[in-house]
Amino acid sequence: MSISPKLALLEEYALVARALSAPARLSLLEQLAQGERGVEALAGKTGLTIANCSQHLQQLRRSGLVTSRRDGKAVIYRLTDAKTLELMDLLRIVAERNLAQVERILRGLSGGEDAPEPLSRADLAARLADGSVTLLDVRPADEYAAGHIPGALNATLAQLEQILPTLAPDTEIVAYCRGPYCVYAHQAVATLRRHGLNARRLDGGLPEWREDGRPVLIDAG
């Protein structure tokens, strides 16, 4: 028996919603927001087996959230377009506004304190231009090398303690990471503030900065 056009449309919309219903697939989307990657690299980044990673990627592709191309025998995946990133961010916003547990988790990342308001990307661009901010990219070194905001220093959470003496105490520090679901910047800001430094997060991460049409620096080699 045929279904109505309305129900057929709702089933297609639900296909997208189901694709977003697994934490593993959200982790894959977060990685693909950094740039296109093959299955093995994505499995390594997310801790999934290659077989499991491939299954999740196929579901994301069926829902239209990611697309792929062949490079020899390898299959390379990427986000379909900027709307996927917007959907990821909207999911975060709705959860933060309506789920008390999300608020508790985020507060815990900030050491139980209210985190300072994030700096907008437009304000960061202006602050970088006049040299009045220290920018920290707290993603892993390989992700930094593949593309970062010009002028950013790279230091993972494990390296923060080592670089503390090099940070100017009278200059505000802004930290950023992977985008909507990344918590590295939250943790970095909490660490820096515990050491008496003036620090806050960037509103968004590298993917949002890039989608704004702002410059991204790629390390040679």
Side-chain angles (χ1 to χ4, degrees):
M1 185 173 67
S2 63
I3 61 174
S4 71
K6 173 68 172 291
L7 286 177
L9 277 174
L10 292 178
E11 181 59 37
E12 295 303 305
Y13 299 156
L15 178 65
V16 177
R18 286 194 294 271
L20 296 170
S21 66
R25 291 194 286 276
L26 295 181
S27 293
L28 288 167
L29 290 174
E30 177 184 62
Q31 285 298 323
L32 290 171
Q34 313 309 301
E36 64 176 17
R37 288 194 170 93
V39 178
E40 289 189 4
L42 288 166
K45 283 286 188 179
T46 57
L48 298 169
T49 65
I50 291 177
N52 198 11
C53 182
S54 182
Q55 290 175 358
H56 283 301
L57 288 166
Q58 289 171 26
Q59 185 160 348
L60 289 170
R61 184 168 57 185
R62 284 194 296 270
S63 71
L65 294 173
V66 307
T67 187
S68 64
R69 64 177 178 84
R70 284 207 168 269
D71 182 10
K73 294 183 179 180
V75 179
I76 308 299
Y77 286 86
R78 63 177 175 82
L79 297 186
T80 301
D81 55 33
K83 292 300 182 184
T84 301
L85 181 61
E86 292 177 19
L87 180 59
M88 293 165 61
D89 196 38
L90 184 59
L91 185 66
R92 174 193 64 81
I93 291 169
V94 171
E96 287 183 6
R97 289 183 178 176
N98 298 298
L99 299 179
Q101 180 64 6
V102 173
E103 181 181 358
R104 285 193 288 270
I105 292 170
L106 292 175
R107 180 175 285 273
L109 291 173
S110 299
E113 300 180 357
D114 289 330
E117 284 294 314
L119 184 68
S120 74
R121 296 186 293 279
D123 285 343
L124 175 62
R127 298 280 298 279
L128 286 170
D130 64 26
S132 61
V133 69
T134 297
L135 182 61
L136 283 183
D137 182 322
V138 292
R139 299 173 302 151
D142 64 315
E143 296 177 26
Y144 173 86
H148 58 271
I149 299 175
L153 306 174
N154 183 219
T156 64
L157 295 176
Q159 296 167 331
L160 277 183
E161 299 282 348
Q162 301 171 27
I163 70 164
L164 284 173
T166 71
L167 300 174
D170 56 347
T171 301
E172 184 175 41
I173 302 166
V174 175
Y176 76 91
C177 51
R178 291 170 172 159
Y181 306 146
C182 191
V183 298
Y184 292 156
H186 290 81
Q187 295 168 298
V189 167
T191 297
L192 294 167
R193 292 177 69 85
R194 280 199 304 271
H195 285 84
L197 294 168
N198 180 17
R200 56 174 158 163
R201 292 185 302 113
L202 175 65
D203 182 17
L206 179 75
E208 293 88 347
W209 175 273
R210 183 171 50 216
E211 287 301 328
D212 288 345
R214 303 183 190 278
V216 172
L217 187 62
I218 300 173
D219 285 357

